[in-house]
Amino acid sequence: MKFDHILIRYGELTLKTKNRMMFVRALRDRMNKALKSFDVEIKANRDRAYIVINDEDPHEIIDKLMHISGILSMSPVVKLAKTDDAMKETALKFANEIEAGKTFKIEVKRADKQYHLDTYGVQQLLGDHVFDHTSHLTVNVKQPDYKILAEIRPDAIYMYYETIQGLGGLPLGTGGKALLMLSGGIDSPVAGIDIMRRGVEIEAVHFHSPPYTSPEATNKVKALVDIMSERTGFDIKLHIVPFTELQTTLYDKIPDNLSMTSTRRIMLRIAEILTEKIGGEAVVNGENLGQVASQTLTSMYAINEVTSLPVLRPLLTLEKNEIVKMARNMGTYETSILPFEDCCTIFKPKAPKTKPSLESVKKFESAVDFQPMIDKAIDNIEVYVPSHKEKTEDEFSDLL
């Protein structure tokens, strides 16, 4: 079947009322950017969008749109004149492409209530026509192998047999901007992609402590940013913070069982400054309630005390196996489990407190002036952007 359009069904932005077109425009802009190498035309209205594909491969286009948030589902469609004959002819073409011995069903959505036949009438018209002009198919209305679907809309009739699920959520850029704390483990890349599905643009920050952390560990995080950017169709800027001086000072000056709490507090202080610099409104991390000592409610309270920014934790209540499944689906899992340790792992205390006293933490931190070291670290941030790197065939081959 030669398709001429792709039907785009919106996600939850259809629940919007007065500002719906703002979301539609943002989604159209994201689709235009993703499809800039294709000869297509995007027509977006309040209820759905249609892509005129000319002679392009519809499935290549859909592959480009699979990870754009705001798209609920997509279908390659044939646009027809609003006549019974056009529907019958096209339904038969669809049916003749179905292999012998399979079952089919006609399904109709009648958005144009003025059409001269009702939904049942169209189903009977098309079903009888296909049944009368084919001998290789049988009807099964409950569990068919194939559905031939017709949508009767005010402007035209659209016919298709395939619905491909999209990412859902809201268009990127409609939910503000945040800074993702990206460790290199399994959780934080998933949290970043998940928050982007809610329409939030992100930049990322990673803390490294050479020579305790290796160049391979930093390259691993860059590889994750590459995967996340490809997955979302958005180049994520990564800020790499030199953390050695701060971390060794924390290790020397803070009791071992409180060092992780103080480390996370210093990281969050830096994240707050960086968030304000990039025009962000929140910090995002991959914390999961109770997973490790720094992720108890008491620990989170002690860590959050250093910032007035919202700290978003989209994975907070998920089971670990759920997060792993998401990481596999998002394509980050295999890179996340590469055996290069980050600074939190290398300086992990032997017995971290799960219920650290905020007063005790602040008491020990007050004995050290961390601000000059924080300023120095921020001044020496390295910035990495996927689109700015020179892509070579063996990029990151040393990690595999």
Side-chain angles (χ1 to χ4, degrees):
M1 179 62 64
K2 183 174 174 58
F3 298 100
D4 48 40
H5 288 69
I6 294 174
L7 164 61
I8 304 293
R9 301 176 189 84
Y10 302 147
E12 62 187 83
L13 67 86
T14 56
L15 301 176
K16 306 298 179 182
T17 52
K18 294 181 180 179
N19 61 348
R20 183 189 299 187
M21 287 309 297
M22 180 270 289
F23 289 87
V24 171
R25 286 191 293 271
L27 179 58
R28 183 192 60 205
D29 291 345
R30 296 295 305 153
M31 291 192 291
N32 272 319
K33 182 178 180 181
L35 301 179
K36 60 184 177 183
S37 62
F38 292 87
D39 178 20
V40 299
E41 180 185 357
I42 299 173
K43 300 177 180 180
N45 57 40
R46 283 181 59 84
D47 300 316
R48 53 185 56 201
Y50 298 93
I51 302 175
V52 183
I53 63 175
N54 299 314
D55 292 323
E56 301 284 1
D57 184 331
H59 288 94
E60 287 185 6
I61 294 172
I62 286 173
D63 284 344
K64 290 288 186 180
L65 301 176
M66 280 296 293
H67 307 304
I68 293 182
S69 56
I71 296 177
L72 179 64
S73 66
M74 299 161 277
S75 295
V77 301
V78 178
K79 183 178 180 180
L80 310 174
K82 293 179 69 175
T83 68
D84 294 353
D85 287 343
M87 277 197 293
K88 290 192 295 183
E89 179 184 350
T90 306
L92 185 57
K93 288 181 179 178
F94 273 93
N96 283 330
E97 293 192 353
I98 300 174
E99 61 186 293
K102 297 296 184 180
T103 60
F104 80 99
K105 173 187 178 182
I106 301 292
E107 195 167 285
V108 175
K109 296 181 180 179
R110 183 171 164 267
D112 180 6
K113 304 303 182 184
Q114 302 304 312
Y115 196 73
H116 73 100
L117 292 176
D118 61 16
T119 299
Y120 177 74
V122 176
Q123 287 174 332
Q124 188 173 34
L125 174 76
L126 300 183
D128 288 348
H129 185 73
V130 170
F131 191 76
D132 290 344
H133 291 83
T134 60
S135 59
H136 67 294
L137 301 176
T138 56
V139 175
N140 185 331
V141 297
K142 292 186 177 180
Q143 290 184 312
D145 297 315
Y146 291 90
K147 292 181 181 180
I148 300 174
L149 301 104
E151 288 197 20
I152 303 173
R153 302 193 65 81
D155 63 314
I157 294 171
Y158 297 89
M159 196 166 288
Y160 57 96
Y161 55 35
E162 183 179 23
T163 298
I164 300 163
Q165 293 302 307
L167 191 61
L170 297 170
L172 191 64
T174 59
K177 188 173 185 179
L179 182 72
L180 170 68
M181 300 180 74
L182 186 60
S183 68
I186 295 171
D187 299 345
S188 53
V190 175
I193 293 175
D194 202 49
I195 206 73
M196 293 178 79
R197 193 173 67 88
R198 304 307 305 158
V200 179
E201 289 187 8
I202 66 168
E203 295 187 21
V205 61
H206 175 70
F207 298 86
H208 75 138
S209 297
Y212 303 103
T213 55
S214 66
E216 289 81 7
T218 303
N219 286 341
K220 169 184 168 180
V221 174
K222 291 179 179 179
L224 285 170
V225 168
D226 288 345
I227 295 168
M228 294 169 67
S229 297
E230 182 178 358
R231 170 79 185 188
T232 60
F234 177 80
D235 286 330
I236 299 168
K237 183 182 291 186
L238 173 66
H239 304 265
I240 303 169
V241 179
F243 202 58
T244 308
E245 183 180 12
L246 279 160
Q247 192 149 29
T248 53
T249 302
L250 286 160
Y251 185 78
D252 290 338
K253 302 296 185 181
I254 305 296
D256 184 67
N257 61 357
L258 294 176
S259 62
M260 181 57 71
T261 302
S262 288
T263 297
R264 299 291 293 177
R265 282 165 58 87
I266 295 295
M267 286 179 171
L268 191 53
R269 286 172 62 180
I270 293 173
E272 179 182 51
I273 295 168
L274 190 53
T275 300
E276 292 172 353
K277 282 192 172 187
I278 67 172
E281 302 159 277
V283 175
V284 182
N285 64 38
E287 290 181 346
N288 179 259
L289 188 59
Q291 188 176 112
V292 295
S294 64
Q295 296 177 20
T296 64
L297 287 178
T298 306
S299 292
M300 291 178 189
Y301 171 76
I303 294 166
N304 279 22
E305 189 267 344
V306 301
T307 182
S308 59
L309 287 175
V311 180
L312 309 180
R313 299 174 172 90
L315 310 184
L316 187 70
T317 61
L318 296 183
E319 297 285 345
K320 187 66 178 184
N321 64 315
E322 294 177 292
I323 301 171
V324 168
K325 182 179 179 181
M326 293 171 70
R328 291 185 186 277
N329 290 338
M330 293 173 179
T332 58
Y333 178 77
E334 295 299 332
T335 301
S336 290
I337 63 172
L338 290 172
F340 304 113
E341 296 181 312
D342 60 34
C343 58
C344 289
T345 304
I346 288 175
F347 284 85
K348 183 178 179 179
K350 294 181 178 64
K353 278 190 174 293
T354 59
K355 294 184 177 181
S357 163
L358 177 58
E359 290 73 20
S360 296
V361 172
K362 293 173 71 174
K363 173 186 174 182
F364 287 109
E365 288 178 0
S366 66
V368 183
D369 185 4
F370 288 105
Q371 194 58 50
M373 288 179 276
I374 290 174
D375 294 339
K376 181 180 176 182
I378 291 173
D379 288 341
N380 288 280
I381 285 176
E382 172 194 347
V383 176
Y384 171 81
V385 184
S387 64
H388 296 174
K389 74 169 185 165
E390 182 179 347
K391 296 182 184 291
T392 61
E393 187 175 343
D394 60 347
E395 187 74 42
F396 299 118
S397 62
D398 57 322
L399 300 184
L400 303 177

